[in-house]
Amino acid sequence: MANQTPAPSAGLRETKKLETRQLISAHATRLFLAQGFERTTIAEIAAAARVAKKTVTNYFPRKEDLALDHQEEFATSLARAVDARRPGESALAALRRAFADSVASRDRIAGFSGRESARMIADSPTLSACVRGLHDQRARHLARSLAEATGTDADDITVRAAAELLGAAHRTLFHRVQELTLAGHPDERIARTLTAEAARVFDLLEPALADYATA
């Protein structure tokens, strides 16, 4: 009986899949930055990565998934911050602290994506619409967490209003980071500016939400 080549282990297969995913993502990013998101095709990305078009779409069902590869993390970020609030800490206080941490670490979730990436998004109607949708998703996830925290229904008007107010604050700050990035300000200067400006934004919400959803 002829010798058979043993099947690769599950660990090896997963490693290979991760490498393929990273390869496709790297080539897509290079092409998007070089010629713009809208002008780049899946076929060009596949050719650059030397894989089939079907392989690209298996890993990334939509082209925007190649440009915005942290969508789930972004959409759930505010909800996760509320879920992780400390004893005696309100939702607003937890979100305020989490935002300060994200600015300190220059987190992409807060908008620190670099000038090239910010320009790519700003120049693309598709990506700009996708980012708007992600902000909407983030508010919906936040509403569910606030509902659980307060023992109310996610459709309750107070929960919905609180989620929209908190979501709008973060949307405003995200766009401020992008605006300063596109203007050419270095991350260190943007972080200093946002630290001061975020304090003003969150202070506006204190009278209404200072004790809301306290753990």
Side-chain angles (χ1 to χ4, degrees):
M1 184 175 180
N3 291 331
Q4 294 183 340
T5 303
S9 66
L12 185 59
R13 285 197 301 270
E14 289 304 311
T15 298
K16 181 62 177 176
K17 286 169 64 176
L18 178 60
E19 290 174 348
T20 301
R21 182 183 179 87
Q22 292 174 336
L23 177 68
I24 293 170
S25 178
H27 282 290
T29 298
R30 177 178 59 80
L31 289 169
F32 291 155
L33 296 179
Q35 58 193 38
F37 177 83
E38 304 292 347
R39 294 180 59 189
T40 302
T41 67
I42 293 296
E44 288 175 314
I45 296 168
R50 296 186 177 182
V51 298
K53 286 176 60 177
K54 182 66 173 176
T55 301
V56 175
T57 55
N58 281 342
Y59 283 96
F60 302 94
R62 304 179 305 163
K63 192 171 76 168
E64 48 266 47
D65 295 336
L66 284 155
L68 304 172
D69 58 357
H70 59 296
Q71 294 180 51
E72 182 66 19
E73 182 184 1
F74 184 95
T76 60
S77 58
L78 303 188
R80 286 185 284 107
V82 169
D83 292 343
R85 66 198 188 286
R86 298 165 179 169
E89 189 173 48
S90 69
L92 175 59
L95 289 167
R96 188 170 192 155
R97 175 172 55 82
F99 185 79
D101 290 343
S102 69
V103 170
S105 64
R106 316 295 194 262
D107 196 337
R108 289 174 61 88
I109 300 300
F112 289 88
S113 59
R115 193 174 185 182
E116 288 184 323
S117 180
R119 173 54 58 196
M120 176 183 69
I121 294 171
D123 288 345
S124 167
T126 302
L127 292 180
S128 295
C130 187
V131 169
R132 288 194 296 272
L134 288 171
H135 282 291
D136 291 341
Q137 287 183 46
R138 192 156 69 160
R140 289 194 293 272
H141 281 291
L142 176 59
R144 286 193 286 270
S145 288
L146 291 175
E148 184 175 343
T150 57
T152 53
D153 190 89
D155 287 332
D156 179 82
I157 194 63
T158 301
V159 169
R160 291 167 61 183
E164 288 297 329
L165 287 169
L166 292 164
H170 283 81
R171 185 191 301 249
T172 299
L173 294 169
F174 176 91
H175 287 305
R176 180 60 168 153
V177 175
Q178 295 277 288
E179 173 188 317
L180 294 173
T181 299
L182 289 172
H185 296 287
D187 282 355
E188 183 178 347
R189 182 176 174 184
I190 295 173
R192 287 199 303 270
T193 300
L194 260 292
T195 297
E197 292 184 346
R200 291 159 55 190
V201 170
F202 289 122
D203 282 349
L204 288 172
L205 300 178
E206 286 285 345
L209 298 172
D211 299 318
Y212 184 69
T214 298

